[in-house]
Amino acid sequence: MKHNYHVQCENVELRPLRFEDIEALRIWRNDAANSRYIRKLPEITPEAQIAWFEAECEDDTSLTFAICVDDELVGSVSLYDITDSSAEFGRLMVGESKGKGIGRKATLATLDIAFNTLHLEIVRAEVSVDNMPALVIYVRVGFCITGKSFNEAAQMDEYKIELDAPRHHRLNDELCQRQETASEARAAD
């Protein structure tokens, strides 16, 4: 959905994804090194990326963020399947800036939006059992592993993880700063 949510977590900022961001995301997503732990897709064409972005802007159950460091795009992350009480966290991708703590800060910033702005009760995710870098981040910020299953579509084993609002607040409150109020943020650009 179109949104105006902004949140800062140390040097990492989440802002709304813009049209001018999507080509960089497409290139990173098509790079095998960036996509080895995520669900396999055929090569994404520029046309397919534009169609995805347009659909994402119209989806009332999804928020996609650009991850920026010093105003430079370094990745993206999403909350999707959003209901009044829950959402899926995922689609976290950091392009060429791995190993600098960006994934953890982007995760914390996304959870800040989920729990402190949207006032969700629970956030869930699925992550490849082989994706140790992501699992370390998720467990450190408070997610608990609740199960394991084989994802037929992705052809991979995945852990199911979740984090509820009380646990998040105990572990992570006030790490990030929201730059806009929820009422202002819902207004489209």
Side-chain angles (χ1 to χ4, degrees), residues 2-42:
K2 290 184 180 180
H3 66 87
N4 248 349
Y5 295 119
H6 292 259
V7 65
Q8 186 89 24
C9 189
E10 298 177 20
N11 64 327
V12 172
E13 177 191 9
L14 296 189
R15 63 160 170 78
L17 188 68
R18 301 177 188 141
F19 182 82
E20 58 266 21
D21 300 327
I22 67 173
E23 180 61 12
L25 297 184
R26 184 186 75 81
I27 291 167
W28 292 330
R29 181 64 170 86
N30 283 336
D31 181 345
N34 284 331
S35 61
R36 70 176 175 253
Y37 297 124
I38 56 180
R39 295 175 181 163
K40 306 302 179 235
L41 294 173

Side-chain angles (χ1 to χ4, degrees), residues 51-114:
W52 166 82
F53 178 74
E54 290 171 349
E56 196 70 11
C57 287
E58 298 302 318
D59 184 350
D60 288 339
T61 67
S62 181
L63 296 171
T64 300
F65 300 93
I67 303 169
C68 299
V69 175
D70 299 324
D71 293 323
E72 180 182 336
L73 178 71
V74 297
S76 66
V77 65
S78 297
L79 287 169
Y80 54 98
D81 295 338
I82 301 169
T83 69
D84 288 340
S85 61
S86 68
E88 277 293 305
F89 165 86
R91 304 175 187 156
L92 174 62
M93 180 177 53
V94 176
E96 299 161 0
S97 300
K98 290 178 178 45
K100 298 179 181 177
I102 295 168
R104 180 185 66 81
K105 294 170 193 172
T107 300
L108 285 169
T110 306
L111 294 171
D112 183 74
I113 295 277

Side-chain angles (χ1 to χ4, degrees), residues 87-188:
E88 277 293 305
F89 165 86
R91 304 175 187 156
L92 174 62
M93 180 177 53
V94 176
E96 299 161 0
S97 300
K98 290 178 178 45
K100 298 179 181 177
I102 295 168
R104 180 185 66 81
K105 294 170 193 172
T107 300
L108 285 169
T110 306
L111 294 171
D112 183 74
I113 295 277
F115 293 119
N116 295 324
T117 302
L118 300 177
H119 305 289
L120 300 178
E121 296 170 19
I122 194 158
V123 174
R124 294 179 181 86
E126 295 175 349
V127 60
S128 167
V129 298
D130 297 323
N131 192 347
M132 282 300 131
L135 283 167
V136 167
I137 290 170
Y138 302 155
V139 169
R140 282 186 178 164
V141 302
F143 277 96
C144 296
I145 297 172
T146 60
K148 180 181 169 186
S149 63
F150 183 75
N151 184 311
E152 287 288 333
Q155 290 296 297
M156 67 174 66
D157 286 318
E158 293 178 331
Y159 287 120
K160 295 182 181 306
I161 61 175
E162 62 183 44
L163 176 61
D164 63 32
R167 181 174 170 82
H168 169 75
H169 294 308
R170 270 194 322 273
L171 297 173
N172 300 300
D173 228 7
E174 298 183 19
L175 288 176
C176 301
Q177 285 186 314
R178 286 167 301 287
Q179 295 176 337
E180 298 185 26
T181 66
S183 61
E184 292 170 333
R186 291 191 184 270

